[in-house]
Amino acid sequence: VVRARLENGFPSRFEVAFSRATFPPERWLELGFSTLVPGGRLVLLSTQEYRPAGDGKRLIECADYRIASGVARWAGCFCSTWNIPGPD
C-alpha cells in the first residue's frame, strides 16, 4: 500500500492501482494507467457503472455493491489494450 499523490511521482510502478473516488472516472483512467507496470490492472470505484468507449481501456470485471449506509456503488477492474507484458 502506497499513500501518495500522483503529482509527486512514484519510485516504482504497480501491478494494481486504485483511488477512492478522488478523480472523476475518466480522469482516473487517464492518470491511473501511468502508475502501472505492463499488464497491470486499474480499479475504478464509482457511484455508477462506467464503460469507456474505444479509448484503449477494457473492463475485465465489475461488481455492484452497497456501502454501510445502503447507498449503491460500483467497482470495475480495467486493463489497457496497449499496457500488456512484453516477452520474457
Side-chain angles (χ1 to χ4, degrees), residues 12-77:
S12 62
R13 296 195 181 265
F14 308 98
E15 292 180 20
V16 177
F18 77 93
S19 177
R20 291 186 324 154
T22 305
F23 303 101
E26 56 279 349
R27 183 72 173 141
W28 174 233
L29 289 181
E30 177 186 325
L31 294 171
F33 277 105
S34 69
T35 68
L36 299 176
V37 297
R41 301 293 187 250
L42 189 77
V43 177
L44 171 66
L45 304 174
S46 181
T47 57
Q48 59 189 15
E49 184 174 332
Y50 181 78
R51 293 185 183 258
D55 61 356
K57 295 159 185 72
R58 186 179 66 191
L59 179 64
I60 300 170
E61 204 168 322
C62 63
D64 295 305
Y65 65 99
R66 293 191 178 276
I67 59 175
S69 66
V71 176
R73 295 287 191 255
W74 182 86
C77 181

